[in-house]
Amino acid sequence: MTAPAIRLSDLRKNFGATEIIRGVDLEIRQGERHAIIGPNGAGKSTLFNLVTGRLAPTEGRIEFEGQDITAWPPYRIARLGLARSFQVTNIFPRLSVFENLRCAVLWPLRQGYAFWRMVDTPADVRERTHEVLGKIGLAARAQVPAGLLSYAEQRALEIGIAIAGGARVILLDEPTAGMNRGEAERAVALIREVSAGRTLVMVEHDMSVVFDLADRITVLVYGQVIASGPPAEIRADRAVKEAYLGEAAA
Amino acid sequence: MTAERRRALMPWGIFALVLVVLPHLPGFGSGYAVSLLSQMGIAVIFALSYNMLLGHTGLLSFGHAVYFGLGAFVAMHAVRWAAAGLWLPIPLVPLVGGLGGLFFAALLGWPSTRRAGTVFAMISLGIAEMVVALSYMIVSFFGGEEGINGDRTKAPSFLGFGFGPQIEVYYVIAAWCFASVAAMYAFTRTPVGRMCNAVRDNPERAEFVGYNPQVVRYVAFMAAGFFAGIAGGLNAINYEIVTAISVGAATSGAVLLMAFIGGVGHFVGPVLGAVAITYLQVSLSDFTHAWLLYFGLMFVLMVLFAPGGLAGLWFMHAPILRAGLGARLIGPYARAVGPALVLALGAIIAIEVNYRVSTRPDLGTAFEFAGIAFDASQPWVWLLAGSLAAAGFWGMRRGLGPAFERHASLMAEAKGGGAP
């Protein structure tokens, strides 16, 4: 249990001649809530995409609980117990809300590629799906095709899919993006609840959410980490103020 | 729970009953009818197997006949081995065909299923062309231009049946049809079957919940190949001959047509499509030489105006009928469908007249349609066709709007009131 949940060593990603991630070293400790902030274009989403296997790094190393997962395909990383949500809603639009969540619990509950048993037979699949459905507040919408949900409901489902499998490490990419104040508050309460006892990493623009939820904050500017530490330290950091918070306050 | 279960099993009971009773109903007992029913049973399996790819997994294949045809060839060889002394009764031959289809799907499926969309479609087309070319090269397996034949009556008898008469073959087909339809339906309810839908909708998200989309597609592809092979095996014992046509583009096109016209969005869609298209294939060709043209027209019209297929049309109207509001559709629908029929009549006369003059002048210009004698060399025939079509088109344009409006308002009414 001494190994960090995620360790990035000298991680680099180029798109053609453009360097997006320029040598990132970062440790996410087990059980912490870690926020990654930074101005637009800093490479926050790219960093998530590298960690979860959506993109392969140009250089560097990614470890998950001490295991090297650099350039693994997303499904292998997901099977280790690392789940994520997306900044742009990424659900199964023609499947019902219930089925969206059920798809996310199948692999963790060892259903695999089974074609010799019915999907409703294992009680744990059904129960876990209903449990998550209740948590994200969509029980009444269970049979609605996900593509017909409102934006806020789709965002809740997006988080639901990420947490349904019971992954030990959860990466949320701007979970409150586009939400109004009330919706964001509900989302934060949900994130706080489901991340108890797990490791949470999130990219977030809303500073009140960040300082409210995070145990530690990493500031990413122009593909490099300029500061990483507890909220109070980040708030006091001069480089951060100049690069990011000052800009936001101005 | 038991009432729910009974409700779920009821359609299957009806389906089994229909399969058993159908050839004994008045009008269905003739040799013509039984062989038509046999073809329909085969087509139902084939079309449903195709929809495991298109409807359920989102894979548009232009070469599904490869697995149908190769299954049929393997099965035909099995019939010949059986005639030569191998203990393989005729009812088990379709299983051999299915395993043949599965083998080739397992072989060719992995490179095919790397990606969905255009890449998959193009690869399926390429493989189909390759197999057709091979079928003329490997004569020992495919029998060259004549194909290969076998005598099903020479195989060992099964429970006293020799499978000479068509009706006995029908029951073999009916039994496999029931088992295959049930198995394919069950597949949609398994974990991997549900993930087929997920991969169709969003392969990327499927990866992030732990599934490799290529493996999911590959499993679906092999299952589809297996059931296509069963259909091919049934086809082999039904006709006792298999030629290169069965792996060819026309067969691949026909199964796409069946699935699409029936409706790929619903499990039963391809069943309806298979029955309707098989009937039209057999009967239309008796009425007109231009039947392929009508076929194409029908396909285009379905794609444009009813992309949900026959099943889609049914599910669009079922809530209204269930709410007892069907009578209020009749008026507006009649005002749209009536002119549409006039348009169709004009178009049919024009097509038939044209066909006489341009394509088959050897048949002469005189012909009969709907009991009326026509002479294609007379200008009035062309004028009649043109004005019928124009008038029908005009009337239909006026009628369609109100018909759609009535449908939408009744749909809202049916859903709003009394729905549980």
Side-chain angles (χ1 to χ4, degrees), chain B residues 44-402:
Chain B
V44 163
I45 302 174
F46 190 28
L48 278 174
S49 81
Y50 183 77
N51 207 37
M52 294 179 100
L53 299 177
L54 180 57
H56 296 290
T57 319
L59 296 172
L60 173 63
S61 168
F62 291 119
H64 198 47
V66 164
Y67 310 95
F68 172 85
L70 289 174
F73 275 106
V74 170
M76 200 77 251
H77 283 289
V79 170
R80 289 163 72 103
W81 298 328
L86 177 79
W87 190 85
L88 182 73
I90 286 300
L92 292 182
V93 167
L95 182 63
V96 177
L99 294 174
L102 175 63
F103 172 77
F104 288 105
L107 197 71
L108 301 168
W110 190 248
S112 308
T113 51
R114 235 180 118 70
R115 297 201 174 273
T118 314
V119 177
F120 176 85
M122 290 301 112
I123 291 176
S124 74
L125 195 62
I127 287 176
E129 288 305 309
M130 188 184 78
V131 171
V132 169
L134 283 176
S135 74
Y136 292 106
M137 285 158 65
I138 308 174
V139 177
S140 57
F141 183 76
F142 293 99
E145 300 239 353
E146 303 96 74
I148 59 169
N149 52 30
D151 186 344
R152 64 180 181 231
T153 61
K154 295 255 170 62
S157 67
F158 181 79
L159 302 175
F161 293 109
F163 301 103
Q166 182 63 35
I167 187 76
E168 291 180 13
V169 175
Y170 167 79
Y171 278 111
V172 173
I173 292 170
W176 277 102
C177 185
F178 184 83
S180 302
V181 173
M184 282 187 270
Y185 182 71
F187 182 85
T188 66
R189 310 284 299 272
T190 63
V192 74
R194 302 314 307 161
M195 287 313 295
C196 285
N197 291 176
V199 164
R200 172 199 67 197
D201 274 22
N202 189 345
E204 180 176 60
R205 186 53 139 167
E207 278 199 82
F208 287 98
V209 297
Y211 281 88
N212 181 349
Q214 191 183 359
V215 173
V216 174
R217 291 190 198 110
Y218 186 49
V219 171
F221 195 86
M222 286 193 290
F226 175 67
F227 288 106
I230 288 178
L234 290 167
N235 207 52
I237 56 176
N238 190 41
Y239 291 109
E240 298 184 292
I241 182 164
V242 184
T243 67
I245 292 168
S246 65
V247 295
T251 311
S252 291
V255 74
L256 193 164
L257 215 68
M258 286 176 189
F260 202 94
I261 285 182
V264 297
H266 299 278
F267 182 79
V268 292
V271 178
L272 305 177
V275 170
I277 299 288
T278 307
Y279 177 74
L280 288 179
Q281 271 176 341
V282 174
S283 63
L284 260 188
S285 57
D286 286 350
F287 289 118
T288 166
H289 295 281
W291 64 279
L292 268 173
L293 181 64
Y294 292 112
F295 237 57
L297 272 176
M298 200 172 72
F299 185 60
V300 171
L301 289 175
M302 284 304 270
V303 171
L304 284 177
F305 298 111
L310 296 171
L313 287 177
W314 165 249
F315 284 102
M316 265 172 66
H317 291 95
I320 294 172
L321 298 179
R322 225 174 279 135
L325 302 170
R328 286 167 56 193
L329 279 175
I330 296 172
Y333 271 31
R335 280 190 285 281
V337 173
L341 291 176
V342 175
L343 167 61
L345 184 68
I348 289 171
I349 294 173
I351 289 170
E352 292 298 322
V353 169
N354 209 319
Y355 194 82
R356 286 290 153 142
V357 174
S358 62
T359 318
R360 296 296 299 274
D362 52 303
L363 295 175
T365 53
F367 70 103
E368 207 173 83
F369 176 70
I372 307 166
F374 289 94
D375 187 339
S377 59
Q378 298 290 316
W380 70 266
V381 178
W382 298 80
L383 262 173
L384 174 74
S387 29
L388 280 176
F393 183 72
W394 179 77
M396 188 181 73
R397 289 278 313 253
R398 278 173 55 101
L400 274 180

Side-chain angles (χ1 to χ4, degrees), chain A residues 158-178:
Chain A
E158 178 72 42
I159 297 172
I161 296 173
I163 63 166
R168 293 186 302 283
V169 180
I170 297 168
L171 276 63
L172 302 179
D173 196 349
E174 298 200 27
T176 66

